Amino acid sequence: QVQLVESGGDSVQTGGSLRLSCSASDNTISTYCMGWFHQRPRQGFVRVARIDTSGITSYLDSVKGRFDISKDNAKNTLYLQMNKLQPEDSGVYFCAAYAVECSGALRSRGEGTQVTVSS
C-alpha cells in the first residue's frame, strides 16, 4: 500500500506563508486525483484544494487566491503553497488520493502536518 508523508507544517504569524509537501512511495500522485485536506480539532475535515491527473486544479472558496496546489510527478510529490495565512487556517493538513476521479472515497491518506497561525 502506498505511503503518503506530509511535511512543511510550522507555526507562523498572520500573513505568513508555508509550503507543504506530500511525498508518495509510488506513482500514486501521477495516477490519481490528489487533494489537500484541512482538519481542525474536534471537527471533520474539508478539502481545500485538489489536482487531477491532467493538472486541473480546484480550490475551496476561502483559500482561492491564497493557496496553490501543484505536483511533481517525477518526484512523486504533491505541494501546497499557502500564502496570506490566517488564524482560521490553523489545523492539521493531510494529503490524500481519491479512489475514483476527484470525489468520494479516499484510497489512501497521510498522517498530516500541523499548521499553526497566530494573530
Side-chain angles (χ1 to χ4, degrees):
Q1 186 174 351
V2 63
Q3 287 189 328
L4 299 174
V5 180
E6 302 90 342
S7 61
D10 204 345
S11 296
V12 297
Q13 291 190 329
T14 297
S17 297
L18 287 172
R19 189 193 196 201
L20 306 184
S21 297
C22 168
S23 178
S25 59
D26 64 11
N27 63 349
T28 288
I29 288 172
S30 61
T31 304
Y32 296 93
C33 180
M34 299 294 299
W36 280 101
F37 296 80
H38 176 204
Q39 184 161 20
R40 296 183 184 180
R42 299 175 296 280
Q43 297 184 25
F45 58 82
V46 61
R47 188 181 75 188
V48 296
R50 63 88 168 157
I51 184 166
D52 68 14
T53 55
S54 298
I56 296 173
T57 60
S58 178
Y59 298 90
L60 188 67
D61 283 348
S62 61
V63 307
K64 282 182 181 177
R66 299 191 299 123
F67 290 9
D68 180 65
I69 187 172
S70 62
K71 61 180 180 174
D72 187 330
N73 290 335
K75 295 182 178 179
N76 295 326
T77 303
L78 180 75
Y79 303 100
L80 184 68
Q81 178 67 42
M82 311 168 74
N83 300 321
K84 300 179 182 179
L85 283 162
Q86 301 296 317
E88 54 266 32
D89 295 321
S90 296
V92 174
Y93 286 78
F94 65 89
C95 63
Y98 282 98
V100 179
E101 296 185 344
C102 293
S103 63
L106 302 178
R107 71 184 308 270
S108 55
R109 57 162 289 180
E111 292 296 317
T113 185
Q114 178 71 43
V115 171
T116 303
V117 185
S118 58
S119 56

